[in-house]
Amino acid sequence: MLKLTGINKDFKGFKLSDISFTVEKGDYFILLGPSGAGKSLLLEIIAGLAIPDSGSLELYGRDITQLPIQKRKVGLVFQDHAIFPHMKVKSNLAYALHGQPGESIHQKIMAMSANLGIGELLERYPSTLSGGELQRVALARTLIQEPEILLLDEPLSSMDTRLRSGTRSLLRKIHRAGQTIIHVTHDYEEALSLGNRIAVMDHGNILQTGTPDEVFHSPRNGFVAHFIGIRNFFPAKIRLHDGIPWAETVGNLKFRLQQGQDNESGFVMIRGEDIVLSASALDSSASNVLAGRVQETTTTPLGCDVCIECGETIHALITAESVSNMSLDEGSEIWMSIKATAVKFIDE
Amino acid sequence: MKKQGLQWVFSILGGLILLFVLGPVLGLMFSSSPHKLFETAQDPEVKNSIMLTLGTSMAGTFLFALAAVPFSWILARYQFPLKKLVTAIIDLPVVIPHSAAGIAVLGFISRDTLLGRAGSLAGFNFVGHPAGIMIAMAFVSLPYLINAARDGFLSVPERLEKAALTLGASPIRVFFTVSLPLAWKNILSGLILMFARGMSEFGAVVIIAYHPMITPVLIYERFTSFGLKYAQPVSVIFILVVLVFFMILRLLLSNSKKS
């Protein structure tokens, strides 16, 4: 268990104010926030690369606030992997095992490289590896020292989509094996898909901490809502009807999806601006047409947020002109059209 | 068309500069007959002076590198008060006239100073001793090593050092396994630069030690005592020796640019 209490730090234009949270053993903890929020600085403080101005860090009951980096048993995987370019992959993996008997080093390298699928790469130099391979080497090099906590700094940000899903499953696998993970990202999809706890950060403050469901369903303030970009977020399960995937929410709404596997569970997300409102049922190409009643309308900097009750609460974002053209009084009936492509399913 | 005319003028100016550098050197190279050069190369005085020059410069380079390289790492990694002043002090020997530098060093190592007395206890006097020559050479050539090594360490991403620390390595192990190997090309070129610069020093050395004679002093002595014809063959041979190291350096630099 890692416990941060009242961490403050002012460093090169980044400021952390009174950061407190606890990461339990076995958590997949996501630090979510825009760039410049201080996420990476916080990781560096946990790793020991930076010392907080005030506050304390406790790892399994041991105060590690002032402990030198190399004694912390905290593993950090850098965004750019930081693989030593002058050493073969094998030597990179062996780096953290310095001082152990040769036979034990060999066995650990073999086991770890088999586990992460880099057995073929051991004799290669880093300059000959692809981005995905470097990432796996970086993970292996850090995991081999069996850290109490694995820290990941934007591990998926510089990858193409295909590589990203492969790495996601790899991270899930590492987590399932019991590894406690803290993962820094600016991507809420990543947060949803991987984390079991999320902390949203901005300007050096933690704005909200909770399960993905809590954070995405009831954002505590405007920033969180805006940052996660979404108000319409429902736990759902995919059902195939005549081969067409539909996502069914707890509130019994059905959304037509573009693609999906039967019985997959996860979350449905719809951006407010992807919802088209009309006073009567439109004969449109949209595959999802739902009826509901207006609960309230709120003017936001981005437009007008219309809150509609239809079994679940859906938020639509429309322009101010549209508001005046439509009767949006509380309780009035309204129709929503949503294209299947605008309904996003995120697997758990 | 106008631009082409300008290019012509500039190219001719460039050609004149090249000729200005190459002319005297080539002239010197062909000033002595191969027979005369061969004879001079066999001259024990010449041979000893070249060995002394190479030996003192190399010893000075390695000895001072032991302190200068770690110091360069500090300069590359840390900000501290008066850092600008410190870097200015390091470059000072480059701008001081070398004879003046020799006078300054002499005042530092003569018999009545702390260093001089330490030398006496060890049984030798720095003045007129290879150890004194070594110090004079190092004084004027040290900036080249420190600046090259600092650039080398600056080119090593700090994240790699940080990564090594998070992998449980002690700071000293990080220095020897990450920082030093990754900066070694710059450091090596700095070592060669310092070595070559020390080897060619005349002004500072001649004030510390006329004897034993390093080659630049020998060339001067042959010139003043016997005249141009006697100084030329020694100069040619010494230039050839220096050129070998110059070529190694250029080769090294072009290789490191490729990688």
Side-chain angles (χ1 to χ4, degrees):
Chain A
M1 180 202 72
L2 175 77
K3 192 174 171 191
L4 279 74
T5 315
I7 298 283
N8 284 289
K9 175 79 179 175
D10 207 337
F11 180 73
K12 287 184 182 167
F14 291 99
K15 208 173 145 123
L16 297 177
S17 320
D18 197 25
I19 303 277
S20 302
F21 60 79
T22 304
V23 179
E24 301 293 344
K25 186 172 168 57
D27 264 355
Y28 198 124
F29 193 93
I30 301 264
L31 275 171
L32 177 66
S35 59
K39 309 180 301 274
S40 296
L41 179 57
L42 192 52
L43 270 199
E44 294 203 350
I45 284 178
I46 297 170
L49 294 168
I51 301 292
D53 298 336
S54 63
S56 72
L57 287 144
E58 230 177 71
L59 186 60
Y60 290 101
R62 183 173 59 135
D63 184 1
I64 60 163
T65 316
Q66 303 290 333
L67 202 67
I69 309 162
Q70 66 268 24
K71 296 188 177 149
R72 289 201 179 197
K73 297 217 65 161
V74 167
L76 171 61
V77 178
F78 288 86
Q79 189 174 354
D80 61 357
H81 319 312
I83 300 297
F84 306 129
H86 58 303
M87 297 178 194
K88 284 180 180 172
V89 169
K90 202 175 183 172
S91 311
N92 266 283
L93 296 189
Y95 196 82
L97 305 176
H98 182 68
Q100 298 186 11
E103 187 52 34
S104 140
I105 292 179
H106 180 75
Q107 278 171 3
K108 282 184 182 174
I109 289 179
M110 287 308 150
M112 184 56 71
S113 56
N115 195 22
L116 293 200
I118 52 171
E120 313 277 281
L121 309 176
L122 290 178
E123 298 300 328
R124 301 253 298 267
Y125 276 97
S127 58
T128 67
L129 303 184
S130 71
E133 288 170 335
L134 284 173
Q135 172 115 49
R136 275 180 285 155
V137 173
L139 276 169
R141 186 179 68 172
T142 303
L143 286 171
I144 211 166
Q145 56 175 341
E146 294 162 19
E148 309 267 21
I149 292 192
L150 175 65
L151 308 177
L152 305 169
D153 193 356
E154 299 269 7
L156 303 168
S157 66
S158 58
M159 298 188 157
D160 60 48
T161 325
R162 222 192 69 216
L163 205 53
R164 203 173 285 181
S165 74
T167 308
R168 274 187 193 173
S169 4
L170 177 61
L171 293 177
R172 280 196 200 106
K173 181 176 151 192
I174 293 167
H175 177 230
R176 271 202 303 274
Q179 180 68 54
T180 310
I181 297 175
I182 301 180
H183 174 141
V184 156
T185 182
H186 61 267
D187 182 346
Y188 59 85
E189 281 192 44
E190 213 172 295
L192 272 178
S193 138
L194 288 167
N196 71 330
R197 303 218 339 122
I198 294 178
V200 184
M201 269 188 92
D202 188 38
H203 289 114
N205 293 290
I206 301 260
L207 302 177
Q208 186 169 6
T209 314
T211 64
D213 199 25
E214 282 163 6
V215 173
F216 281 85
H217 219 80
S218 41
R220 185 171 296 166
N221 63 25
F223 174 81
V224 177
H226 177 74
F227 184 67
I228 60 183
I230 220 94
R231 299 293 297 274
N232 307 310
F233 169 88
F234 315 105
K237 200 160 201 164
I238 295 183
R239 297 265 183 245
L240 291 185
H241 294 292
D242 301 331
I244 296 165
W246 292 80
E248 300 184 4
T249 72
V250 180
N252 245 333
L253 284 186
K254 293 184 179 65
F255 292 101
R256 166 90 192 263
L257 297 172
Q258 255 208 320
Q259 52 189 17
Q261 309 278 326
D262 198 19
N263 254 334
E264 210 174 349
S265 61
F267 304 92
V268 160
M269 293 198 337
I270 303 154
R271 289 189 168 275
E273 57 266 41
D274 289 336
I275 300 172
V276 177
L277 297 184
S278 56
S280 56
L282 278 180
D283 184 19
S284 75
S285 67
S287 11
N288 296 296
V289 181
L290 305 163
R293 291 199 180 274
V294 175
Q295 280 202 313
E296 67 172 321
T297 58
T298 330
T299 312
T300 74
L302 294 167
C304 188
D305 181 274
V306 186
C307 177
I308 301 156
E309 179 54 46
C310 57
E312 301 273 7
T313 308
I314 290 185
H315 292 262
L317 197 64
I318 59 175
T319 59
E321 295 101 285
S322 314
V323 176
S324 53
N325 293 340
M326 246 186 277
S327 136
L328 290 171
D329 301 329
E330 202 177 309
S332 58
E333 184 165 82
I334 197 139
W335 294 83
M336 293 169 280
S337 310
I338 308 158
K339 288 200 287 184
T341 48
V343 183
K344 208 161 205 176
F345 188 81
I346 293 170
D347 56 340
E348 258 173 329
Chain B
M1 284 314 275
K2 211 175 184 182
K3 194 177 160 205
Q4 273 188 350
L6 192 71
Q7 278 173 343
W8 270 109
V9 175
F10 283 14
S11 302
I12 289 165
L13 288 175
L16 286 174
I17 293 283
L18 280 183
L19 203 63
F20 170 71
V21 175
L22 264 183
V25 175
L26 285 178
L28 178 64
M29 289 297 160
F30 295 112
S31 62
S32 314
S33 65
H35 174 73
K36 185 76 195 159
L37 284 180
F38 187 73
E39 203 180 270
T40 310
Q42 303 294 311
D43 181 346
E45 213 182 10
V46 173
K47 276 205 283 197
N48 287 341
S49 83
I50 288 179
M51 291 316 286
L52 177 69
T53 314
L54 293 178
T56 45
S57 188
M58 198 171 283
T61 302
F62 282 120
L63 209 61
F64 279 84
L66 293 179
V69 172
F71 180 46
S72 311
W73 183 78
I74 296 283
L75 289 175
R77 280 292 175 263
Y78 294 100
Q79 297 301 324
F80 48 84
L82 302 180
K83 186 173 177 181
K84 278 194 173 145
L85 183 69
V86 170
T87 47
I89 290 172
I90 290 161
D91 283 335
L92 205 57
V94 177
V95 292
I96 295 183
H98 289 175
S99 50
I103 298 289
V105 173
L106 183 62
F108 188 62
I109 61 171
S110 65
R111 212 172 292 192
D112 50 343
T113 65
L114 203 64
L115 208 61
R117 260 181 260 149
S120 303
L121 281 177
F124 70 93
N125 181 4
F126 279 107
V127 181
H129 190 276
I133 297 174
M134 187 184 84
I135 288 176
M137 285 175 168
F139 184 86
V140 296
S141 59
L142 201 52
Y144 298 96
L145 172 61
I146 292 180
N147 288 329
R150 184 189 52 204
D151 290 347
F153 287 126
L154 278 174
S155 73
V156 179
E158 213 177 334
R159 305 179 78 75
L160 293 179
E161 291 174 1
K162 287 182 171 182
L165 287 170
T166 66
L167 292 170
S170 63
I172 190 78
R173 184 169 166 238
V174 174
F175 180 78
F176 280 110
T177 57
V178 176
S179 323
L180 204 59
L182 286 173
W184 81 271
K185 269 180 179 165
N186 287 68
I187 293 170
L188 191 61
S189 80
L191 287 171
I192 294 175
L193 214 58
M194 175 172 175
F195 168 63
R197 180 66 198 81
M199 227 164 36
S200 55
E201 180 56 20
F202 169 74
V205 174
V206 78
I207 285 171
I208 307 287
Y210 198 83
H211 289 283
M213 236 177 239
I214 59 165
T215 316
V217 177
L218 180 70
I219 293 169
Y220 176 73
E221 200 226 25
R222 291 261 163 115
F223 174 64
T224 49
S225 312
F226 306 106
L228 188 61
K229 273 283 152 218
Y230 290 84
Q232 276 166 339
V234 192
S235 304
V236 172
I237 286 166
F238 191 56
I239 285 177
L240 290 176
V241 171
V242 174
L243 272 183
V244 170
F245 291 100
F246 185 63
M247 264 150 61
I248 294 174
L249 175 72
R250 299 298 300 193
L251 222 68
L252 208 71
L253 288 180
S254 66
N255 275 344
S256 67
K257 254 176 218 150
K258 264 181 245 155
S259 67

